[in-house]
Amino acid sequence: MLKKGEKRFEIYIPAIIAITSFIYSLISCNYIVQFDFIKEIIPFIETLLGFTLAALTLLLSNNRIEEKTRNYPMEREIRGKTITMFQFLVVLYSYLIICETILCILYYIATLFPTSVNAIIADIGNSFFIWGVFHVLFSTLRTASNMYHITIRK
């Protein structure tokens, strides 16, 4: 479903950031730097989850946006059927809600367990988490820009 530019922006750049943070923590032997970042970003992700839920609610309850987007077919398909912009936005916001919820749940589950894990294994897990955080942030940017272009389209 992602186009080439979207893959680059939402998957590859977050992967580069996560790998860079992993390499930095290995080289500097500062294994706590990733964990500190994750502790600082979690309140932001939680707030973003609330805003994403509000945006989906606004999308589903706003007749003006729905009218504009229901009649606007896209080149994208789901299960072989061409979808409208409205369906595309609902899928994007739903995807973001699921990803943000998973990140929050994983964080709180991880805090239940002691941190007596090997530092390198912890860094690998933290790197995947950092990839997820940046993936969500970049996906949110794309979704917000799509919504912006829809609302200003006449």
Side-chain angles (χ1 to χ4, degrees), residues 25 106 137:
S25 67
L106 286 176
L137 294 177

Side-chain angles (χ1 to χ4, degrees), residues 7-77:
K7 279 184 185 176
R8 190 177 315 131
F9 188 67
E10 294 178 25
I11 294 175
Y12 301 140
I13 292 176
I16 291 169
I17 293 169
I19 291 168
T20 303
S21 74
F22 176 73
I23 291 170
Y24 172 76
S25 67
L26 282 180
I27 291 173
S28 69
C29 293
N30 188 358
Y31 299 110
I32 208 82
V33 85
Q34 286 183 328
F35 184 69
D36 287 343
F37 170 77
I38 291 169
K39 276 188 359 187
E40 295 292 323
I41 200 75
I42 277 298
F44 178 75
I45 296 296
E46 291 169 340
T47 305
L48 188 61
L49 175 59
F51 281 114
T52 306
L53 285 165
L56 180 60
T57 303
L58 174 69
L59 175 68
L60 294 174
S61 64
N62 190 321
N63 290 334
R64 186 176 77 87
I65 293 174
E66 184 177 351
E67 287 173 12
K68 280 185 171 185
T69 58
R70 279 227 186 254
N71 299 322
Y72 188 79
M74 299 191 59
E75 299 170 359
R76 298 178 190 253
E77 294 181 351

Side-chain angles (χ1 to χ4, degrees), residues 22-143:
F22 176 73
I23 291 170
Y24 172 76
S25 67
L26 282 180
I27 291 173
S28 69
C29 293
N30 188 358
Y31 299 110
I32 208 82
V33 85
Q34 286 183 328
F35 184 69
D36 287 343
F37 170 77
I38 291 169
K39 276 188 359 187
E40 295 292 323
I41 200 75
I42 277 298
F44 178 75
I45 296 296
E46 291 169 340
T47 305
L48 188 61
L49 175 59
F51 281 114
T52 306
L53 285 165
L56 180 60
T57 303
L58 174 69
L59 175 68
L60 294 174
S61 64
N62 190 321
N63 290 334
R64 186 176 77 87
I65 293 174
E66 184 177 351
E67 287 173 12
K68 280 185 171 185
T69 58
R70 279 227 186 254
N71 299 322
Y72 188 79
M74 299 191 59
E75 299 170 359
R76 298 178 190 253
E77 294 181 351
I78 295 179
R79 295 186 188 154
K81 294 175 76 176
T82 304
I83 61 171
T84 64
M85 180 64 83
F86 181 78
Q87 292 167 320
F88 180 63
L89 286 172
V90 170
V91 167
L92 285 178
Y93 279 112
S94 300
Y95 174 75
L96 284 173
I97 290 168
I98 291 168
C99 288
E100 292 160 358
T101 303
I102 288 171
L103 286 174
C104 290
I105 290 171
L106 286 176
Y107 175 77
Y108 288 113
I109 287 174
T111 58
L112 293 174
F113 299 105
T115 57
S116 61
V117 179
N118 183 345
I120 293 175
I121 292 172
D123 272 353
I124 290 171
N126 289 342
S127 295
F128 278 114
F129 194 87
I130 289 170
W131 175 86
V133 165
F134 282 101
H135 172 69
V136 163
L137 294 177
F138 291 151
S139 297
T140 301
L141 282 175
R142 178 171 64 105
T143 304

